[in-house]
Amino acid sequence: MRILIGTPEQGAHGGPAACEPPFNDELRRLGMEVDEEVYTFGTNPGVVGRTRRVLRTVSRFADLAAAGNYDLIHLNTSFDTLALFRDVPTVRSLKGSGARLFLKFHGSDASLLHTSNRLLRYMVRYLLSRADGIGVLSSEERANFLRAGVPAAKVFQVKNVVAPSVVPGTTQFAAQLKVASDTPLLLFIGRFIPAKGLLDCIKACKLLFDNQHDFLLLCVGDGPSLPAAKATVDELGLGSRVRFFGYIPETEAAKFYANSTMLLFPTYHYEGFPMVIFNAAAAGLPILTTRIRAAADFLTEPDNCLWVEPKRPDLLAEKISKLISDSDLRNRMAENNKALGAQLSAEIVTSEYLEIYREIVKPSMDHRR
């Protein structure tokens, strides 16, 4: 099978940049002919810069598809307004290629399926009608597309590849942070936007501090909520209990997963398959998160996580306190989460995609015969 994959550009941040390269490598190991082409906006370049990127993307993909005789074109994208303005012209340019089209949505905005905006409504209908297969990362998202009238045979629930954690836990990590080795380390990692819940974590830490809990909150990442987060830390007098580390590449972030006590991720963003949660699971980290999309599909309480409610720092603080005080529960979660992470290896996940690819491509293969 010959496949063209729209892939994140080198150095891009976020889930696709972490999970797609090992997936592409495994496809090649299994004997597929795989070509990759950059298919992301990257950093926000403004309206003019974004328009130029869209036009370049359309041109490149049209040229490659016309010359490559591909069986399948797999585009890594998301289902949101900005992506539509890139995806629709790109997909239109592929119309004469003869290749089957698979769209993998790394997150989806369900409100777009029912938009009252005429232009957006047309673009959504066009994009979904042109796709031969649509990959979504949770049962909730699949149900959203089915309710909107997309044929069930076209919508597949898929997974992301989660690389195994190779960094061992060590007391040296605590020493580097200049805290006692038994200090609970609470990890928040991700894009700093309001819907990810960082401010809820900080406010929960104020309640823990007032109740004389020992802890250190590690904030790894960057984004527009950083100034508000730092201001909240100062306002609540938590300067000695919260530290900001900025954006850290995936390879370096592994040491945070391996050495923290628990992950805090009270998100209410329209996540698909939040890599933060599943990277933490693969590292054997206990998890506190919201019951959202793929997390709800793969995690159970108390085997893998404790569920929290979004925008409820008081309840989050209660769950943190419970997990800090129950080492047996943390240990059980750690073992269960490592086992879960092993089920998301490149070998297992890629073989599942190949079954989907073959199902999508078979009609065109039969037609060629």
Side-chain angles (χ1 to χ4, degrees), residues 31-285:
M32 304 300 110
E33 296 181 61
V34 177
D35 291 333
E36 298 180 44
E37 182 56 61
V38 171
Y39 190 69
T40 60
F41 286 137
T43 55
N44 189 345
V47 174
V48 174
R50 186 180 297 277
T51 301
R52 288 173 178 167
R53 286 192 177 201
V54 168
L55 294 175
R56 286 198 298 268
T57 297
V58 171
S59 177
R60 286 197 313 266
F61 270 85
D63 290 345
L64 283 168
N69 194 29
Y70 295 103
D71 299 299
L72 182 86
I73 297 174
H74 171 141
L75 300 183
N76 287 293
T77 183
S78 59
F79 187 67
D80 59 50
T81 301
L82 286 178
L84 276 177
F85 282 92
R86 173 194 56 193
D87 294 344
V88 168
T90 302
V91 169
R92 286 182 67 88
S93 76
L94 302 175
K95 192 172 183 180
S97 70
R100 295 286 171 161
L101 177 64
F102 180 79
L103 300 176
K104 180 181 178 183
F105 291 137
H106 292 264
S108 59
D109 181 356
S111 68
L112 265 182
L113 293 166
H114 310 285
T115 179
S116 58
N117 182 291
R118 290 184 179 181
L119 174 60
L120 293 180
R121 193 164 61 241
Y122 164 77
M123 295 173 78
V124 167
R125 283 201 304 264
Y126 178 84
L127 183 68
L128 298 182
S129 68
R130 282 286 296 118
D132 298 290
I134 297 166
V136 295
L137 291 163
S138 67
S139 59
E140 176 191 319
E141 290 170 286
R142 185 170 189 271
N144 289 339
F145 282 96
L146 297 185
R147 280 195 295 268
V150 182
K154 185 184 281 193
V155 187
F156 301 88
Q157 185 178 341
V158 297
K159 305 170 185 172
N160 284 343
V161 170
V162 178
S165 178
V166 296
V167 179
T170 170
T171 55
Q172 293 179 351
F173 187 74
Q176 292 168 2
L177 296 174
K178 298 182 180 179
V179 297
S181 59
D182 60 350
T183 298
L185 301 178
L186 317 179
L187 176 64
F188 177 93
I189 182 167
R191 177 76 171 150
F192 287 7
I193 58 175
K196 296 283 187 176
L198 174 56
L199 291 182
D200 291 337
C201 294
I202 294 170
K203 292 172 183 177
C205 284
K206 171 61 173 173
L207 298 174
L208 295 173
F209 180 74
D210 290 344
N211 286 307
Q212 300 184 333
H213 277 286
D214 184 28
F215 67 90
L216 181 65
L217 175 63
L218 313 177
C219 303
V220 178
D222 202 353
S225 290
L226 178 60
K230 288 185 173 180
T232 302
V233 168
D234 291 341
E235 178 186 339
L236 298 179
L238 294 174
S240 64
R241 300 300 185 100
V242 180
R243 296 192 195 170
F244 295 92
F245 294 85
Y247 169 76
I248 292 179
E250 291 289 336
T251 52
E252 295 181 34
K255 67 183 179 183
F256 285 88
Y257 290 118
N259 293 286
S260 296
T261 307
M262 67 187 74
L263 175 75
L264 310 184
F265 199 64
T267 177
Y268 49 99
H269 187 56
Y270 53 81
E271 311 284 350
F273 192 99
M275 290 300 292
V276 167
I277 290 176
F278 293 97
N279 286 332
L285 195 60

Side-chain angles (χ1 to χ4, degrees), residues 341-360:
Q343 295 302 308
L344 299 170
S345 67
E347 293 80 5
I348 293 173
V349 172
T350 305
S351 67
E352 294 174 356
Y353 273 88
L354 274 179
E355 290 301 312
I356 295 171
Y357 287 174
R358 292 185 181 113
E359 183 176 338
I360 294 171

Side-chain angles (χ1 to χ4, degrees), residues 278-353:
F278 293 97
N279 286 332
L285 195 60
I287 295 167
L288 290 168
T289 191
T290 45
R291 196 189 305 264
I292 189 168
R293 296 203 166 169
D297 289 331
F298 288 93
L299 306 181
T300 60
E301 182 184 67
D303 298 324
N304 310 100
C305 70
L306 295 181
W307 298 122
V308 298
E309 296 295 325
K311 305 181 186 180
R312 287 296 304 271
D314 55 331
L315 298 182
L316 177 59
E318 290 179 13
K319 296 294 180 75
I320 296 171
S321 179
K322 175 180 175 59
L323 206 47
I324 287 176
S325 63
D326 194 338
S327 60
D328 289 340
L329 177 57
R330 295 199 308 273
N331 292 335
R332 289 196 301 274
M333 281 187 185
E335 292 305 312
N336 292 334
N337 284 344
K338 287 178 184 177
L340 170 60
Q343 295 302 308
L344 299 170
S345 67
E347 293 80 5
I348 293 173
V349 172
T350 305
S351 67
E352 294 174 356
Y353 273 88

